[in-house]
Amino acid sequence: MNLADKPTVFSGAQPTGQLTLGNYLGALQNWVAMQEEYNCLFCVVDLHALTVRQDPQALREQIYDLAAVYLACGIDPAKSTIFVQSQVPAHAELAWILSTFTQMGELERMTQYKDKSQRHRTNINAGLFTYPTLMAADILLYGTHKVPVGADQKQHLELSRDVATRFNGAFKPIFQVPDPLIASSGSARVKDLQEPSKKMSKSAESDLAKVMLLDEPKTILKKFKKAVTDSQGVIAYDEEAQPGVANLLNIWCAATNNSLENALEHFSHNMYGKLKVESGEAVNAILAPVQERYRDIIADRGELIKILDNGAEVARQRAEEMMVKVVDVLGLPPRRSL
Ligand code: TRP
């Protein structure tokens, strides 16, 4: 099928720390499902990760690791473009240009910036501030129609739309104005196993709170067995009164592809112990094949690098087509082929 026949999807994750079950159910599973209908680009956004100080050796491993996780989850390089952001220089280039179309006030309003600058008080660098212009560049470079992201990225996406509209209005409409696809299930719904009123986050302090994609099956089972519930003793779905039970029910449904109705019927005469064990087992059943593929992929670094080189090559060409238009409308000299 021709590129032009399918709308473009772009998404990315930072290579900082391992992914959780929430990331898998909420993001990666959706990405995998989108590959048929859309022309997808999935990026390891390593330049974004530099806004917080990283250990160089660990960073490089984490970049390959995240790419391996993408593949293990079912991102197929024959269908989608999978690549590392820093290997396509146009991202940084367009980010600079877009920063001149972004107001300080707009960036100052970003809640993630406010939050991160609180948490990293000794390193409030300019990159942390201009981060959303790099994200806008990621998206706008490829004429992206849809961007699957978590609710926490909605504000950044709105900024991308505003910047695209402003640029288009100042010159001519070369940028597609992207629509967010905010996950309505999955990560939005997978909650912390210890504090089920909070979203499951990879930065949670307690290990028991989060299920990592690459956790051993027995660790996963243990975390589920220790999940916090309540003292009501009845399996019903009530997010307010029984957030822990609701979370386990949601996870069981997502992992077994069942409706909530089915879940309530399935567990109708059971105690919490059974719900905990069965949710853990269901999660292990969906993660087992992912973990097995991950182990194969990570063991063959050469092949992984080849896939990423190919992805970067495809992305560079596509990005370059956009940069030709960008420099043209801005009045910069024409691009020489790279
Ligand atoms: N900012 C996103 C996050 O932290 C990652 C990201 C960077 C991204 N560029 C993107 C997501 C472009 C979607 C599209 O989760």
Side-chain angles (χ1 to χ4, degrees):
M1 207 188 235
N2 196 297
L3 241 186
D5 296 338
K6 291 185 187 180
T8 295
V9 157
F10 185 101
S11 201
Q14 295 191 46
T16 49
Q18 283 206 11
L19 298 184
T20 67
L21 176 66
N23 300 126
Y24 179 68
L25 294 177
L28 281 154
Q29 252 192 354
N30 294 340
W31 294 6
V32 171
M34 296 178 105
Q35 296 183 101
E36 309 299 331
E37 228 185 300
Y38 297 95
N39 188 284
C40 299
L41 297 115
F42 297 116
C43 187
V44 175
V45 292
D46 56 347
L47 296 175
H48 278 94
L50 298 180
T51 53
V52 173
R53 198 59 64 231
Q54 306 287 341
D55 172 69
Q57 259 157 19
L59 179 61
R60 187 165 299 151
E61 290 311 309
Q62 283 167 8
I63 290 166
Y64 289 129
D65 202 69
L66 183 57
V69 167
Y70 285 3
L71 295 168
C73 288
I75 304 293
D76 180 353
K79 295 180 191 154
S80 303
T81 305
I82 153 166
F83 71 106
V84 178
Q85 185 186 33
S86 64
Q87 296 190 317
V88 183
H91 287 249
E93 220 178 336
L94 183 61
W96 165 256
I97 291 170
L98 296 181
S99 78
T100 69
F101 290 83
T102 308
Q103 298 302 306
M104 297 289 283
E106 292 181 293
L107 295 173
E108 279 159 3
R109 279 198 294 279
M110 295 292 121
T111 54
Q112 190 168 66
Y113 167 70
K114 289 195 244 178
D115 179 50
K116 283 204 181 175
S117 53
Q118 289 284 325
R119 281 193 285 131
H120 303 278
R121 284 206 162 279
T122 53
N123 184 18
I124 307 181
N125 60 72
L128 199 61
F129 189 63
T130 58
Y131 178 114
T133 66
L134 179 57
M135 181 159 161
D138 298 340
I139 296 166
L140 301 183
L141 263 180
Y142 300 98
T144 303
H145 297 85
K146 294 209 156 71
V147 187
V149 281
D152 62 329
Q153 296 299 316
K154 195 166 168 236
Q155 203 185 21
H156 289 159
L157 215 72
E158 269 156 21
L159 182 72
S160 304
R161 290 171 56 88
D162 291 345
V163 170
T165 307
R166 188 172 302 148
F167 189 101
N168 286 346
F171 305 102
K172 57 182 177 180
I174 63 169
F175 290 131
Q176 174 71 35
V177 180
D179 286 320
L181 270 183
I182 308 287
S184 58
S185 61
S187 87
R189 296 178 68 183
V190 176
K191 298 290 167 60
D192 184 300
L193 292 183
Q194 291 299 309
E195 289 181 66
S197 52
K198 292 202 302 204
K199 172 180 156 183
M200 184 181 283
S201 158
K202 63 183 172 189
S203 51
E205 256 175 51
S206 155
D207 273 346
L208 287 176
K210 51 194 175 184
V211 175
M212 310 313 291
L213 208 61
L214 301 174
D215 271 349
E216 300 244 353
K218 62 176 193 301
T219 308
I220 293 182
L221 209 53
K222 185 180 90 187
K223 289 179 177 177
F224 275 92
K225 284 184 180 163
K226 300 206 163 171
V228 166
T229 48
D230 54 68
S231 57
Q232 302 205 15
V234 186
I235 298 180
Y237 191 86
D238 184 338
E239 285 178 21
E240 296 287 309
Q242 299 182 266
V245 171
N247 187 32
L248 294 175
L249 286 168
N250 281 334
I251 292 173
W252 184 83
C253 288
T256 59
N257 221 346
N258 263 294
S259 67
L260 195 53
E261 212 176 8
N262 287 346
L264 290 171
E265 188 178 325
H266 179 82
F267 291 109
S268 61
H269 300 295
N270 294 134
M271 311 289 257
Y272 291 168
K274 176 115 168 148
L275 173 62
K276 291 181 187 181
V277 169
E278 285 204 19
S279 328
E281 283 171 348
V283 165
N284 275 335
I286 54 164
L287 293 187
V290 173
Q291 297 189 351
E292 199 181 313
R293 281 194 298 269
Y294 169 82
R295 282 191 290 269
D296 287 345
I297 295 161
I298 207 71
D300 191 349
R301 173 72 58 102
E303 178 61 23
L304 180 59
I305 287 178
K306 220 189 277 171
I307 291 170
L308 293 175
D309 280 347
N310 283 337
E313 180 65 32
V314 171
R316 272 195 298 269
Q317 282 184 19
R318 243 184 107 171
E320 189 56 21
E321 286 169 24
M322 182 58 83
M323 290 308 295
V324 166
K325 295 185 206 163
V326 171
V327 300
D328 180 53
V329 297
L330 286 169
L332 301 171
R335 304 281 281 187
R336 295 279 166 243
S337 56
L338 293 177

